[in-house]
Amino acid sequence: MPSIIEPKLISGNANLPLATSIARRMSMHRGMNIGLVDARVERFNDQEIFVEVYENVRGEDMFIIQPTSNPANDNLMELLIMSDALRRSSAARITAVIPYFGYARQDRRSKARTPISAKLVANMIVESGIERVLTMDLHAAQIQGFFDIPVDNLYASPIFALDILHQFKDQLGDVMVVSPDVGGVARARELAKRINAPLAIVDKRREKPGEIAEMTVIGDVSGKKCIIVDDICDTAGTLCKAAEVLMEHGATEVHSYITHGVLSGPAVERITNSVMKSLVVTDSIHAPEPVKSAPNIRIVPTAPMFAQAILNIWNGTSVSSLFETETLTPIYEGMYYA
C-alpha cells in the first residue's frame, strides 16, 4: 500500500463534468470526500494558457483528467502545462487520464511526406513529466507502444454490452453486430462475443478522402436489429451511409454504439435526419447542447469505470480486471442498467 493518503484529481477545461463525476464516484468508493484540486486553468489575451494550483501537492499521487478533444491543440497544451506545474510542485507521480486521445488517427504514414502525429504527441506527454497514461479505446492499439511509460487502455465494449443487454433484453435473438469497415472487425467481434450475437461487416471503398465510392454488406442482415460499433464518429457521413445500406439490405432497425462522439460539422443534423434509430456515445468527450438535445443520441457514462481504474492504479491492483463485464456489472449496478 502506498504511503500517500488519497489519490488527488485535477481537471482541465476539456471535460469538467466528467472529472466531477469521477470524483463523486471515487468519493462513494472511498467513503470520504474526494474533490478536484483547486486550481485555475485560464488564458491570457493572446490565448497563452496559464495554470496555477492553489493546493499543496508535494508528494501526492496526481491524476490529471483531460481528454484532448476539440479544440485539440488547446486541450493538449492545457494537459502539458498542468503536468509541468505539478512536476515543479514536487508531485510524487503524475498520471494523465485521457478519455479521448486526440491525434490518434495519425498513427502511421498513410502516404509520402506525412507525419506520425500520434507519436509526436506521445513524446510531448512523456517529456512534460507524466509517468502513466490512462485512456479508452485508442484508435489503434499500437499507439500504446509510442509511449515509453505505462499506458492502460480501457475498453468501452463492456459498458456497451451492459447497455445492449438492458435495451434489447427481450430481442437479443434478433440483434446483429456490424463493423462499419474491415479495420474495425476486431472491435465489433469483441462486442458480439460479449452479447452472443452474430457479426456482419460493411466494406467501404474510397475514391478519395472524405468520399465513399461504394459500400458492400458482408453477411445476411435481413430481419435483424443491426448495431454498428466503432471507436470514433466525426462528421457521421460514413455512419449514416452505412445505416442506409443496412436498411436497404433488409435490416429492421439500425442502432450505433460509438465510444468517442467527436460529432463535428454537420454530424448532429445528419444523425437526426438519418434512418438510424439511435446513436449511443460515451461521455469521453464533453457533449455540447445540440448533442444533448438530439432526439436519437444517447450518452452513457464512463465515470464509474474511470473512477475504479484510478483507484486500482493508486492501489497497485489490476486495471485489466475492468475489461470483464462481470467486474463492471456491480460498479454500474443501480445506476443505469439495473
Side-chain angles (χ1 to χ4, degrees):
M1 177 70 67
S3 59
I4 302 158
I5 298 172
E6 291 295 330
K8 285 202 170 183
L9 309 181
I10 187 170
S11 176
N13 295 314
N15 198 341
L16 199 54
L18 175 59
T20 303
S21 296
I22 291 172
R24 189 181 305 122
R25 292 291 300 188
M26 289 176 64
S27 299
M28 290 169 57
H29 285 303
R30 298 293 297 160
M32 61 182 68
N33 182 49
I34 296 178
L36 298 175
V37 167
D38 190 16
R40 65 177 173 133
V41 183
E42 56 188 43
R43 283 159 179 74
F44 295 138
N45 289 335
D46 63 355
Q47 299 306 302
E48 275 187 20
I49 295 166
F50 176 74
V51 173
E52 184 177 5
V53 182
Y54 293 125
E55 297 181 25
N56 179 27
V57 296
R58 183 179 297 275
E60 299 285 4
D61 196 354
M62 299 299 304
F63 292 83
I64 307 173
I65 302 170
Q66 178 80 343
T68 52
S69 49
N70 183 33
N73 298 334
D74 286 1
N75 289 331
L76 175 61
M77 282 304 297
E78 279 190 15
L79 173 64
L80 300 176
I81 294 170
M82 280 191 290
S83 173
D84 188 70
L86 294 173
R87 181 167 57 90
R88 294 176 186 278
S89 303
S90 303
R93 182 175 67 168
I94 304 169
T95 300
V97 181
I98 311 175
Y100 170 69
F101 183 74
Y103 284 100
R105 285 175 280 184
Q106 299 183 49
D107 63 318
R108 66 193 184 282
R109 294 190 68 193
S110 55
K111 57 184 73 173
R113 296 175 296 280
T114 57
I116 305 179
S117 303
K119 171 59 177 167
L120 173 63
V121 170
N123 290 346
M124 293 165 67
I125 287 172
V126 173
E127 287 299 317
S128 72
I130 289 166
E131 297 169 59
R132 177 182 288 269
V133 170
L134 174 64
T135 186
M136 174 176 277
D137 272 352
L138 284 171
H139 186 61
Q142 68 264 23
I143 293 174
Q144 293 177 81
F146 291 0
F147 290 86
D148 294 324
I149 55 176
V151 176
D152 292 305
N153 183 31
L154 300 176
Y155 299 100
S157 57
I159 303 174
F160 288 162
L162 287 171
D163 191 83
I164 292 167
L165 291 171
H166 175 71
Q167 298 292 332
F168 299 89
K169 56 188 171 186
D170 299 323
Q171 310 155 29
L172 287 172
D174 298 329
V175 168
M176 175 174 268
V177 175
V178 179
S179 173
D181 53 46
V182 175
V185 170
R187 184 181 295 107
R189 186 188 296 119
E190 173 68 19
L191 180 60
K193 282 172 59 180
R194 289 179 185 274
I195 62 172
N196 196 26
L199 177 67
I201 303 166
V202 176
D203 180 34
K204 65 172 183 276
R205 300 177 187 178
R206 296 181 190 267
E207 292 291 336
K208 56 185 178 181
E211 290 188 8
I212 302 161
E214 183 184 352
M215 278 189 167
T216 307
V217 178
I218 303 171
D220 183 11
V221 300
S222 57
K224 295 291 186 181
K225 297 181 188 296
C226 290
I227 295 178
I228 301 173
V229 58
D230 208 354
D231 63 323
I232 295 173
C233 177
D234 193 345
T235 58
T238 300
L239 192 65
C240 293
K241 179 64 177 173
E244 288 175 17
V245 171
L246 290 168
M247 292 296 286
E248 289 168 6
H249 280 72
T252 57
E253 294 177 4
V254 178
H255 304 262
S256 295
Y257 280 75
I258 310 293
T259 307
H260 307 298
V262 177
L263 302 177
S264 58
V268 175
E269 184 181 355
R270 280 176 175 168
I271 292 161
T272 303
N273 298 326
S274 75
V275 297
M276 256 190 306
K277 195 162 184 183
S278 70
L279 167 66
V280 178
V281 297
T282 75
D283 56 358
S284 63
I285 295 173
H286 178 58
E289 196 53 45
V291 173
K292 292 179 183 175
S293 58
N296 58 344
I297 298 178
R298 191 159 52 85
I299 301 169
V300 295
T302 58
M305 177 185 270
F306 275 111
Q308 189 63 54
I310 290 169
L311 288 171
N312 288 7
I313 290 170
W314 171 72
N315 276 318
T317 54
S318 172
V319 173
S320 60
S321 63
L322 297 174
F323 299 169
E324 301 302 324
T325 307
E326 292 78 12
T327 309
L328 281 187
T329 301
I331 296 174
Y332 276 82
E333 191 172 18
M335 187 175 182
Y336 292 87
Y337 308 113

